[in-house]
Amino acid sequence: LAMLLGAGLTLIRAIGLIEEDASSPRVRKLARQIRTEIAGGKSLAEAMEAQDRQFPPVFVSMVRAGEASGAL
């Protein structure tokens, strides 16, 4: 994700590419759900948090801090 964002892709497009390229149906579904949440107006941290404990709380908190500081 960091590499795609660093290349200038939007967050929604980067997650869409991850979804398309994922070999695991579980990862494809997770990426699709996150992309849908973001397209609906949620932040990445909010979208990750909504995925029923798929991401550790500390990771979600790190993403939230990155969003708040503008470093993400």
Side-chain angles (χ1 to χ4, degrees):
L1 180 59
M3 188 170 59
L4 294 170
L5 294 174
L9 275 75
T10 64
L11 181 58
I12 291 177
R13 181 64 183 136
I15 293 173
L17 287 175
I18 291 170
E19 178 186 346
E20 291 172 15
D21 195 46
S23 57
S24 163
R26 181 174 167 248
V27 173
R28 275 194 305 273
K29 180 181 177 185
L30 185 60
R32 182 179 326 110
Q33 290 171 328
I34 290 172
R35 185 174 47 81
T36 301
E37 295 278 349
I38 292 169
K42 289 189 177 179
S43 69
L44 177 57
E46 291 171 328
M48 292 168 62
E49 196 170 42
Q51 300 312 309
D52 195 30
R53 300 185 188 153
Q54 294 295 313
F55 298 97
V58 69
F59 187 76
V60 175
S61 294
M62 288 174 21
V63 170
R64 184 172 281 114
E67 289 172 335
S69 70
L72 183 68

